[in-house]
Amino acid sequence: MKSNQVNRRQFLRGAGTWLALPLLPSLLPRSTWAAIVKPEPHFVGILSMNGQWKSNFLPTASFYDPSNMSVRATKSVPGGTITVRGRSLNEISGNLSPVLGALTPHKSKMTLFHGITIDGSSHNSACVMTASMQRDNDCTDKNGLPPYWGTSVDQVLSRSSAVYPNGIPARNLASLVLADPYICRSIEYPYMSWYQGQFVPHVTSPAALWNNILKGPFASAGGSTTTTQAKDARVRALNAVFADYQDAKSPRRNISSADSQRLESFMGRLNEVAKELDKAPVTVTVSRSCSAPPQSTIDSSGANYRAMWDTYSKLVVASFQCGLSNVAAMRLDAAADSGAQGTFHETSHLPKGSGEGATLPYQQWIAQRVKLLADELQNAKDVDGSSLLDNSVVLWGNELGYDTPGDHTLFDTPVLTIGNLGGRLRSGEMLSFHSSMGANHKLTYNSVLESIMQAAGVTDYPTQVIQTYGGTQVRGFGQDVSKNYGYLPCHYVGGPLPYWFVG
Amino acid sequence: MLTLSGCNGFRNSQNENLSSKGLGDSSSALTEQGTKLYSAHCSVCHGALDISSVRGKSLELIQSNISNNPAMSALKKLSESEVKLIALALNPTNQPSTVDNPTPSTVQDGIPGAGSGPRFACLNSSARGGANRPFVRMSREAIVASLSTVFGDSILGLNSLKNRIAGIPEDRQVDGSILPTATYEHALAYVNLYNDLSDEILKNQNYMRKYLGDCSVEQPDESCLRGFVDKMSFKLHRKFLTADRLNDIVNRVSTGENAGLSSGERFKLALMRLLIGPDFQFAIAEGERNNDQTVIGSTQMTRVGNGAEQKGNSQLEILNGNEWLIYRDNSNFASSDPALTRTFEKIVVVASATPGSGGVYPSFRLDWNFVPHVDRPDMTRVNGAHQIFVFDGSFGYMTDSTDQTRAELYNKFQIGLSMRGPSAAQGGKVTIHSVILVDLDGPRIEVVGERMKLSQLEVADQIALRVSGGIPDDSLLIAALNGELTSSARVRSEAQRLLESPLGRSGTKNFFRDYARLKNTGEPVGVSSQQLEGLDPSGLDKAIVDEFDTYVDHQIYQAKAGFATLLTSPKAFPSNASVASIYGVPWDGKASSVKTSPTHKGLFNRAAFLYSGRKRGSPILRGVALRTNVLCDPLGTPDASIINSRNDDLAGKPLHLMSTRDVVTTQTSSQVCQACHVSINPLGFALEDFDSFGRFRTVEKVFDENGNLASQHAVDARGTGIRVESGLPEDVDGHDQLVQVLSQSAKAKACLARRIVQSQSGRLTNAKDSCLLADVESVLRNDSSSVYEALLRSVSGEDIFYVGKPQ
């Protein structure tokens, strides 16, 4: 493809139904042409609650019995070997499973996992997006502070030029964070999305999403607009404060050379912060050629709940299609209109024998919502004419594991993806991970997120480790997706998941 | 193969001594090699080198143990030279004998020392305070406590700021010390916090009214900004801004890239600069200077309402009904008065107001001037107890003026006080406590020896950081400005005030939570109602921690309990029926009232300490907490692969038919595990008469994965070979005997002394702490004294007046 050719996305934008000023590629910087001819990666993270029964969620047990699956790859880990077994979902002729029946049409783009573990236990939604283990089992530490909420994968993606080659949009657009204002039981922190010391605001209703985030960019779509942000007050303050650090090192202050170096070190950190905050102004390019998103005033009350989530999905897909955002995260609870007896949480505590049937309506309700999102992505066209779903990955994770009523552990947790990021992830299979060290040894969930980031082209995610005094713990901190393991007998394979990650 | 050959050239008189012990030659390179070898082969069982339980052990002893101790047999692979290097690392030549090891004796004592004798001895009283660091990074807790002191708790309760505070990485380590270096995440989190904090303060200027006076941030008056920066800087940094720095801050916010900022933005920028600056992020002690503070007017001047006034011996002139004038005239100065021939940079007026009837505070303003200059507009209103007015001396004329003109100026040096507000009937009082000239460039007092004497303000800093965890409050600053912090008794009274304050009590609570190694394990998980036996799991984890806190607060602050009582008292403070049932006391509906438990005794029988909230309790975690935190015995990190292997071995056993003791015994039975677990399990087993919720039991009930009762076992709570210290019983039967032994343990008392000093100072102790540790230990060893007294003693000794010489 010639670099000055009008690409499909530009064509679509120019030929849209909204009033449009045609974009003339020759008027754009060359870097912009190069960046926008290629479909950009899209990510939707979905969290749901209360675990799953294997018999509800997975295909029949014989389908994923190791003897019936093929060995796809092996990987040495400390103490043994991890074996990746796989089996094509196309071998299932009917519904994939009671819960996943609705998603059966997407099975060729789906990956279903078995044998993935997140360190931790009890309700721990944050881990689904962060892979961070919780601080103990509750939401606060002794000082009333929240647990280790590692930087979430959506926020890592939303800060990456690999995901936004044309420039990273403003924070609210970079990752659309949609959540009920509930994650922790004891404090008000509404959502686990976290980036460099900040909680990322969440959106609680489609109306808010539309009015506060999307309306403006959609309304002003057309042509390209460069918004030069005023220099951040933080940068001004940092620029000024360096003189004080220099002064503190002066002989008059009588500090030792070693302490002077400590000051110098902290200055270095502040300087890094200043550089990060003082990056070049952001250009947000918006277009009117995409499909008009629904304008909704639906809220989460009562029977509107189903419609609310469906509207969310449409808004997310519209914003992807229009190039406003490439990343979204949703916490998807189940609604009262699912026909179930008892609350979702109550039914999840029922023992084997009665729990499967009681939770099924809720889980099916959620699967329906996931299906609608997948359908919308499938039907939307990306810049090269392909399905938006082809260049996306939808990650559906769960805060709890399989078959764990009452004990609420994450030992073997339900994970499912739809979409393969342009073929950079393998799809259409159920993958099962087995350890040579025994049945209780699982593969750490960190690798799932790491695979997604690398498939999206993000390779510079932070992997900081805090080694506590005496070396007794390695614990989650920041993103930490490659290092956060060790409490449970689960294994990190040292990078993306073998076989699933194609590269 | 490592070799010591070729190192003979390093031999000198110091390492002659080492050689005489059979340790060979010494050099930093060899020590470094030894340190690496120690870390690789020894630290797992004996802890990090700096706190090694075998520090100071001779080469012969090490070689003997490798040969004869089965748990150390794996080290036989080491060459003789390698063992020598390890011994060298354990016996550094350039350090005095350690405080913690004044009289090395038994190997099993984590804090070595003989039997029931003291573990610490004051080896060199002239080194007191020399271990204190002149440069300390402020921890997250210190920053938050400091912001609370300056701006109040309410602003930190705003959700936006709570989120920001939550984003600051934790940096206090398990031993109480602070990570010495900050990360990028720290830097970013602080910058974000200060940005949002400044925004909130600008939205509601009452948060900084004391520092604004009658000014507002919208007021485009540079003198307002100067006054604000001067006062706020003093409060945040506990030291005075030099004229140069003040000018730089004020100029910077309106020039260059900041030209055109609004007045509010300039205030914000200045405030953020002060917060991000080195003197708020670090506690930096520079040492005392000569004549750095000269009190020229310490007389109490008090005006009560509009009625009768009291006046001291300063010159006082009543201008009219509501205004006074205090001044110095040169008749009070001899011509050789040093105050006339010194330059100074600041005039500080310490004043306070107290409300009249109805709680109405008077408002007042202060002006000062050197005639013939016009009045400075620095003035303020008071709505709190204390005010410190910092006036910028650089306005004046002292630097280039002659002695004669200085004398003329002093002749008319005036501070005017005008008072408004309450009526005469309402009363109300304004007091000027002192007028102080501050010289920031006085000659530094020469440091003699290895310790540096602190200035008064730096002493205040030391007290506050140790007791309330943040920077000094106004009362402490005023005591420092008035030069009152020169005696241990005066320091003690300030420390006591802070220890009793909400911040101090909170710090005490957190200290004991760390001491007992409490973990917030959450509400019960995986536990059936059959196992709960009537306990309400909702909020149970928090309720038992509340009980722990109340127990601590009661014993420390109200009962003024000694060490033994703290560890053995039967008192309990349940806040609901479930917690009451755990302690075996009837629930009378009165939360946190004192009960006497028939089954639980002392700090380490608290439900919060015993609780796991799971199917089983954990003798291992209980034992580790006692071994490391109560006895200060270091334990290494277990090898994850060994743990996995042991767990795999357990997987095939009928665990639901085994008692917890049997499970742990099986799990840790291998020789490699026993190297450490021989010190852990007996302590934990002695608490097996408490279940996973802390309930007393004589029979252990084991539940299967479905929560059904699977087996029952008579509790065996014998702890055989508990290794507390020589002279105390090695074997105990149950929790009662265990806490009795611990409460009598000299080592445990010494350990608490060390933990108190480490927690308050935010660093590990070293040889120069010997006297302070001995002081605190002696308080804890005194049966008629209290832990409260030990907490105070740690900050009110001579050590508080010094830091180590910067080097």
Side-chain angles (χ1 to χ4, degrees):
Chain A
M1 183 178 289
K2 294 178 181 176
S3 61
N4 61 351
Q5 201 170 349
V6 177
N7 62 63
R8 180 156 182 86
R9 186 169 209 164
Q10 289 163 345
F11 172 79
L12 288 170
R13 285 172 176 168
T17 55
W18 290 17
L19 282 176
L21 292 174
L23 283 174
L24 301 177
S26 59
L27 298 179
L28 296 175
R30 287 182 68 87
S31 59
T32 307
W33 309 341
I36 60 179
V37 294
K38 186 179 174 186
E40 296 164 4
H42 308 289
F43 169 83
V44 185
I46 298 174
L47 330 175
S48 64
M49 326 305 288
N50 297 326
Q52 295 274 7
W53 288 99
K54 279 184 184 175
S55 56
N56 281 350
F57 191 73
L58 297 177
T60 55
S62 61
F63 179 80
Y64 59 90
D65 185 291
S67 62
N68 294 328
M69 302 182 89
S70 303
V71 173
R72 303 296 195 196
T74 58
K75 178 86 174 181
S76 294
V77 296
T81 306
I82 293 287
T83 302
V84 184
R85 290 182 170 83
R87 188 170 179 185
S88 172
L89 294 172
N90 285 329
E91 294 182 36
I92 300 173
S93 55
N95 283 341
L96 290 174
S97 72
V99 169
L100 300 180
L103 286 162
T104 301
H106 293 289
K107 64 184 179 183
S108 64
K109 295 183 179 178
M110 182 188 299
T111 306
L112 189 55
F113 294 90
H114 180 230
I116 299 281
T117 285
I118 300 174
D119 270 356
S121 64
S122 194
H123 295 281
N124 187 18
S125 306
C127 64
V128 174
M129 297 292 283
T130 63
S132 287
M133 70 182 72
Q134 57 202 2
R135 189 202 301 263
D136 297 324
N137 285 323
D138 210 332
C139 293
T140 58
D141 70 359
K142 61 185 169 60
N143 298 314
L145 299 173
Y148 296 114
W149 305 31
T151 301
S152 49
V153 63
D154 65 311
Q155 294 303 318
V156 173
L157 294 170
S158 70
R159 264 67 180 180
S160 172
S161 58
V163 176
Y164 289 108
N166 291 326
I168 299 169
R171 199 173 74 182
N172 283 337
L173 294 171
S175 178
L176 300 171
V177 181
L178 318 172
D180 281 350
Y182 160 85
I183 285 293
C184 284
R185 287 163 287 169
S186 57
I187 53 175
E188 295 174 356
Y189 297 104
Y191 192 54
M192 74 295 162
S193 216
W194 179 264
Y195 185 74
Q196 294 194 346
Q198 300 177 45
F199 283 104
V200 176
H202 64 284
V203 178
T204 55
S205 78
L209 174 61
W210 172 255
N211 289 324
N212 301 334
I213 298 179
L214 295 176
K215 188 175 179 181
F218 274 122
S220 61
S224 62
T225 305
T226 301
T227 303
T228 305
Q229 298 175 333
K231 192 179 283 281
D232 194 315
R234 294 170 294 179
V235 178
R236 296 171 190 274
L238 286 165
N239 289 342
V241 83
F242 293 127
D244 300 331
Y245 278 87
Q246 290 296 347
D247 178 69
K249 293 191 298 176
S250 69
R252 187 180 66 81
R253 298 296 302 270
N254 197 30
I255 69 171
S256 69
S257 57
D259 292 336
S260 185
Q261 286 176 4
R262 292 188 180 99
L263 277 177
E264 189 78 46
S265 168
F266 192 62
M267 275 178 69
R269 303 288 83 75
L270 293 174
N271 196 35
E272 290 172 29
V273 172
K275 283 183 178 172
E276 181 67 24
L277 295 173
D278 197 25
K279 283 185 174 169
V282 171
T283 301
V284 180
T285 304
V286 292
S287 168
R288 294 175 180 172
S289 62
C290 52
S291 301
Q295 298 181 38
S296 173
T297 56
I298 294 171
D299 59 31
S300 60
S301 61
N304 290 331
Y305 203 64
R306 175 194 296 264
M308 181 189 86
W309 281 110
D310 292 351
T311 305
Y312 270 152
S313 295
K314 291 173 183 173
L315 285 167
V316 165
V317 174
S319 64
F320 283 7
Q321 192 181 20
C322 298
L324 292 174
S325 178
N326 289 335
V327 181
M330 312 164 82
R331 177 188 174 277
L332 187 48
D333 206 344
D337 68 355
S338 59
Q341 298 295 315
T343 69
F344 188 15
H345 181 249
E346 285 169 356
T347 58
S348 75
H349 275 274
L350 293 174
K352 189 172 181 61
S354 56
E356 297 93 326
T359 58
L360 186 57
Y362 285 112
Q363 301 293 6
Q364 287 177 328
W365 188 93
I366 294 171
Q368 287 284 353
R369 307 281 74 71
V370 177
K371 174 188 184 297
L372 182 123
L373 174 70
D375 289 348
E376 292 284 331
L377 286 168
Q378 176 68 43
N379 295 333
K381 298 298 180 191
D382 211 331
V383 292
D384 61 353
S386 61
S387 160
L388 205 54
L389 184 59
D390 289 343
N391 303 311
S392 304
V393 62
V394 177
L395 169 69
W396 179 15
N398 201 298
E399 59 161 358
L400 297 175
Y402 286 120
D403 297 358
T404 58
D407 54 6
H408 276 19
T409 67
L410 283 151
F411 199 65
D412 199 353
T413 188
V415 179
L416 175 152
T417 58
I418 308 172
N420 55 30
L421 284 172
R424 282 163 284 187
L425 296 170
R426 205 175 302 271
S427 61
E429 293 197 34
M430 178 170 177
L431 298 180
S432 184
F433 300 86
H434 290 267
S435 166
S436 63
M437 286 79 80
N440 286 335
H441 289 250
K442 307 293 181 187
L443 190 68
T444 181
Y445 174 76
N446 296 342
S447 297
V448 174
L449 298 188
E450 202 167 2
S451 302
I452 289 173
M453 287 191 292
Q454 293 210 14
V458 182
T459 56
D460 58 348
Y461 44 87
T463 56
Q464 187 173 2
V465 172
I466 288 288
Q467 185 86 22
T468 58
Y469 182 78
T472 56
Q473 294 178 1
V474 179
R475 65 191 185 194
F477 183 80
Q479 178 53 31
D480 202 14
V481 293
S482 71
K483 298 291 176 62
N484 179 10
Y485 64 101
Y487 277 130
L488 291 172
C490 56
H491 303 281
Y492 171 59
V493 298
L497 289 176
Y499 185 70
W500 187 47
F501 175 73
V502 177
Chain B
M1 175 73 72
L2 293 165
T3 175
L4 292 176
S5 63
C7 298
N8 291 338
F10 292 105
R11 190 179 296 275
N12 57 28
S13 59
Q14 269 194 319
N15 54 34
E16 283 291 345
N17 293 332
L18 202 60
S19 297
S20 68
K21 295 181 190 174
L23 296 176
D25 297 317
S26 168
S27 74
S28 59
L30 293 177
T31 304
E32 187 178 338
Q33 291 178 48
T35 301
K36 288 178 180 172
L37 285 165
Y38 176 89
S39 177
H41 300 290
C42 315
S43 61
V44 168
C45 288
H46 297 297
L49 182 63
D50 60 338
I51 57 164
S52 170
S53 61
V54 292
R55 202 168 172 82
K57 300 305 172 194
S58 69
L59 173 63
E60 291 79 6
L61 183 60
I62 297 169
Q63 288 171 328
S64 169
N65 282 337
I66 291 175
S67 300
N68 302 320
N69 185 344
M72 295 176 70
S73 59
L75 299 185
K76 288 177 181 173
K77 65 184 179 185
L78 294 176
S79 70
E80 182 181 346
S81 297
E82 287 172 324
V83 177
K84 282 183 177 177
L85 286 169
I86 290 172
L88 185 63
L90 289 167
N91 293 272
T93 58
N94 57 352
Q95 291 186 12
S97 69
T98 63
V99 192
D100 295 359
N101 191 11
T103 51
S105 60
T106 52
V107 173
Q108 67 266 32
D109 287 352
I111 300 178
S116 61
R119 265 54 174 176
F120 301 116
C122 182
L123 300 177
N124 179 8
S125 61
S126 65
R128 275 185 179 275
N132 294 332
R133 294 178 186 149
F135 183 94
V136 178
R137 187 171 77 81
M138 299 282 272
S139 67
R140 178 179 73 175
E141 290 92 342
I143 293 283
V144 173
S146 299
L147 294 175
S148 171
T149 298
V150 178
F151 301 110
D153 282 336
S154 60
I155 192 169
L156 300 181
L158 298 174
N159 274 340
S160 60
L161 298 185
K162 280 201 296 191
N163 288 348
R164 290 300 192 196
I165 290 168
I168 304 170
E170 189 174 7
D171 47 18
R172 187 174 282 274
Q173 303 177 94
V174 292
D175 56 19
S177 62
I178 307 300
L179 279 174
T181 55
T183 62
Y184 172 85
E185 295 285 344
H186 280 100
L188 180 64
Y190 283 129
V191 170
N192 283 333
L193 170 64
Y194 301 149
N195 182 63
D196 290 4
L197 176 74
S198 302
D199 284 340
E200 295 293 347
I201 288 172
L202 289 173
K203 275 190 249 174
N204 182 355
Q205 295 170 31
N206 284 331
Y207 287 124
M208 58 178 183
R209 176 56 56 202
K210 284 169 66 174
Y211 312 97
L212 277 175
D214 281 351
C215 293
S216 81
V217 296
E218 291 80 22
Q219 200 167 334
D221 182 338
E222 186 182 294
S223 66
C224 274
L225 182 61
R226 293 182 74 88
F228 167 76
V229 170
D230 226 355
K231 293 168 197 162
M232 183 58 82
S233 169
F234 175 69
K235 182 64 186 176
L236 290 172
H237 297 171
R238 300 88 68 205
K239 51 176 61 81
F240 296 104
L241 267 183
T242 65
D244 286 347
R245 306 254 31 94
L246 175 60
N247 289 334
D248 187 68
I249 292 173
V250 172
N251 292 337
R252 180 87 190 217
V253 298
S254 56
T255 58
E257 69 177 5
N258 301 317
L261 291 183
S262 69
S263 177
E265 289 169 329
R266 293 206 297 269
F267 269 87
K268 176 183 175 181
L269 193 50
L271 176 58
M272 284 187 69
R273 179 171 173 178
L274 295 177
L275 289 164
I276 302 170
D279 288 301
F280 190 65
Q281 294 302 124
F282 299 87
I284 305 173
E286 301 172 25
E288 193 180 30
R289 291 173 185 269
N290 279 316
N291 301 321
D292 54 357
Q293 291 172 208
T294 305
V295 178
I296 63 169
S298 57
T299 299
Q300 304 284 306
M301 282 181 53
T302 306
R303 171 69 183 267
V304 181
N306 289 328
E309 55 276 329
Q310 306 160 9
K311 63 179 182 180
N313 58 9
S314 291
Q315 302 296 315
L316 178 68
E317 181 178 322
I318 300 174
L319 300 177
N320 58 50
N322 286 323
E323 295 187 5
W324 299 342
L325 186 69
I326 179 174
Y327 64 93
R328 300 285 302 262
D329 69 36
N330 63 2
S331 63
N332 292 333
F333 291 92
S335 59
S336 59
D337 190 325
L340 286 178
T341 56
R342 282 183 48 220
T343 60
F344 62 91
E345 290 191 79
K346 302 286 182 191
I347 300 170
V348 178
V349 179
V350 178
S352 67
T354 50
S357 62
V360 180
Y361 275 97
S363 65
F364 67 97
R365 60 174 250 180
L366 282 175
D367 304 306
W368 67 270
N369 71 323
F370 288 111
V371 175
H373 285 254
V374 295
D375 286 358
R376 288 287 307 280
D378 304 86
M379 54 188 180
T380 193
R381 286 204 171 87
V382 166
N383 56 7
H386 294 295
Q387 290 284 286
I388 300 169
F389 300 91
V390 181
F391 298 100
D392 176 9
S394 64
F395 236 74
Y397 357 80
M398 306 307 287
T399 52
D400 59 354
S401 55
T402 65
D403 287 352
Q404 182 180 3
T405 54
R406 286 192 202 109
E408 287 174 358
L409 295 172
Y410 269 102
N411 188 40
K412 292 295 184 184
F413 171 68
Q414 300 170 335
I415 292 177
L417 167 67
S418 62
M419 178 171 161
R420 304 180 188 87
S423 66
Q426 287 176 314
K429 188 165 70 174
V430 174
T431 303
I432 294 179
H433 297 275
S434 54
V435 180
I436 304 163
L437 300 186
V438 177
D439 184 352
L440 300 180
D441 285 322
R444 195 178 299 285
I445 292 176
E446 185 180 356
V447 176
V448 178
E450 293 303 309
R451 63 180 187 170
M452 181 171 75
K453 194 162 191 300
L454 297 173
S455 73
Q456 285 282 287
L457 287 169
E458 290 164 350
V459 171
D461 229 19
Q462 291 278 326
I463 298 169
L465 283 168
R466 286 161 189 252
V467 184
S468 61
I471 60 177
D473 62 7
D474 283 353
S475 294
L476 188 52
L477 283 175
I478 288 169
L481 286 171
N482 288 338
E484 297 167 8
L485 303 178
T486 54
S487 69
S488 294
R490 186 70 180 87
V491 168
R492 179 191 158 88
S493 74
E494 285 296 325
Q496 187 165 10
R497 182 180 62 78
L498 293 177
L499 189 63
E500 305 261 1
S501 71
L503 274 176
R505 291 176 100 107
S506 174
T508 300
K509 177 187 72 181
N510 286 332
F511 168 75
F512 279 100
R513 285 186 184 186
D514 289 342
Y515 178 51
R517 208 164 167 154
L518 293 199
K519 292 186 69 179
N520 185 350
T521 45
E523 292 180 359
V525 171
V527 177
S528 65
S529 58
Q530 194 178 355
Q531 185 179 354
L532 285 169
E533 289 185 291
L535 286 183
D536 180 358
S538 176
L540 182 62
D541 55 326
K542 296 197 169 41
I544 57 176
V545 173
D546 287 346
E547 195 280 335
F548 180 94
D549 291 344
T550 309
Y551 177 86
V552 165
D553 196 80
H554 174 86
Q555 297 294 357
I556 302 300
Y557 287 98
Q558 295 177 50
K560 298 286 196 296
F563 180 77
T565 304
L566 180 68
L567 265 62
T568 58
S569 168
K571 289 180 179 174
F573 302 84
S575 57
N576 62 38
S578 286
V579 180
S581 73
I582 288 174
Y583 286 98
V585 297
W587 173 238
D588 58 7
K590 296 177 182 173
S592 302
S593 64
V594 186
K595 309 285 191 310
T596 300
S597 170
T599 49
H600 291 62
K601 291 186 175 175
L603 194 68
F604 301 107
N605 284 185
R606 304 331 300 157
F609 175 76
L610 302 163
Y611 176 86
S612 74
R614 302 297 194 271
K615 285 190 172 69
R616 295 180 190 268
S618 174
I620 293 177
L621 291 181
R622 292 170 179 177
V624 166
L626 294 176
R627 181 60 64 191
T628 60
N629 284 29
V630 183
L631 297 171
C632 285
D633 289 343
L635 290 172
T637 308
D639 186 315
S641 64
I642 294 174
I643 293 177
N644 290 340
S645 162
R646 301 300 305 170
N647 287 338
D648 284 349
D649 289 348
L650 277 178
K653 297 187 183 302
L655 299 180
H656 60 291
L657 301 178
M658 296 169 68
S659 70
T660 300
R661 183 177 182 124
D662 287 343
V663 171
V664 171
T665 300
T666 306
Q667 189 180 26
T668 62
S669 59
S670 72
Q671 193 176 64
V672 64
C673 295
Q674 278 299 297
C676 294
H677 278 273
V678 69
S679 301
I680 297 169
N681 295 1
L683 292 170
F685 288 155
L687 294 172
E688 271 299 276
D689 44 13
F690 294 113
D691 71 7
S692 61
F693 297 95
R695 291 176 295 198
F696 179 75
R697 64 184 177 184
T698 55
V699 172
E700 181 185 4
K701 297 176 180 176
V702 179
F703 297 85
D704 65 18
E705 59 183 11
N706 295 318
N708 298 318
L709 182 63
S711 61
Q712 298 190 71
H713 311 270
V715 166
D716 178 357
R718 288 172 299 162
T720 305
I722 57 175
R723 298 186 178 194
V724 171
E725 70 192 28
S726 56
L728 290 176
E730 279 291 293
D731 303 332
V732 294
D733 190 359
H735 71 279
D736 199 353
Q737 292 181 13
L738 176 65
V739 298
Q740 290 299 333
V741 170
L742 291 174
S743 72
Q744 295 162 24
S745 164
K747 187 162 76 168
K749 291 169 185 170
C751 178
L752 179 57
R754 181 199 274 173
R755 296 194 72 85
I756 288 173
V757 173
Q758 287 187 169
S759 176
Q760 290 185 335
S761 64
R763 59 174 173 77
L764 298 178
T765 52
N766 64 37
K768 293 174 183 171
D769 289 304
S770 67
C771 296
L772 180 60
L773 286 164
D775 291 347
V776 180
E777 183 191 30
S778 70
V779 173
L780 292 169
R781 289 173 60 84
N782 181 349
D783 291 340
S784 62
S785 193
S786 65
V787 178
Y788 174 90
E789 187 60 33
L791 293 169
L792 268 184
R793 188 70 186 82
S794 179
V795 288
S796 54
E798 186 190 344
D799 303 65
I800 202 81
F801 299 110
Y802 296 93
V803 294
K805 180 181 179 181
Q807 8 189 277

